[in-house]
Amino acid sequence: MSQVTEYSKKVMDHFSNPRNVGEIEEAAGVGTVGNAKCGDIMRMYLDIDENQVVRDAKFKTFGCGAAIATSSMATELVKGKTVQEALEVTNKAVMEALDGLPPVKVHCSLLAEQAIHAALWDYAEKNGIKIEGLKPPVNDIDETEEFYEMQGAD
Ligand code: FES
């Protein structure tokens, strides 16, 4: 396949009709990440059962269309997976599931991967669990002003 220059049908579908938008109250893991360059922010909530299986995933993204589409696909992909399997949901996996992204939008899918990792990290920390291969989130951001603005953004 030649280089993707426009949005696939799947990207458009997940952008116009994003799955799993919202929050999970008392989520087992929450991760918020941001990209300093574009200023986009993504927050991922994971509900994880006692067998370490992701029961539910939701997100809130204040960002571009590709960031919304990748968050939507990422939440779909992690649902039903164990925390160890969820770690394998890389930005590549998300992009493949969306039939590709234009090169300038690859970083948006990276944000989705980082958001999953940040939420898994939060879960692992809260429960004193070690998830093999999981590294501390690089872009984890605190309760920033932008995020509060985002709450009222829709
Ligand atoms: Fe930054 Fe898409 S432009 S996440």
Side-chain angles (χ1 to χ4, degrees), residues 35 38 40 64 66-67 105 107-108 111:
N35 182 297
C38 62
D40 291 353
C64 74
K105 290 285 162 183
H107 80 272
C108 319
L111 211 53

Side-chain angles (χ1 to χ4, degrees), residues 32-51:
T32 309
V33 293
N35 182 297
K37 274 202 188 137
C38 62
D40 291 353
I41 298 172
M42 199 179 277
R43 176 170 279 187
M44 182 85 63
Y45 301 82
L46 298 177
D47 178 20
I48 299 169
D49 72 12
E50 61 283 359
N51 298 316

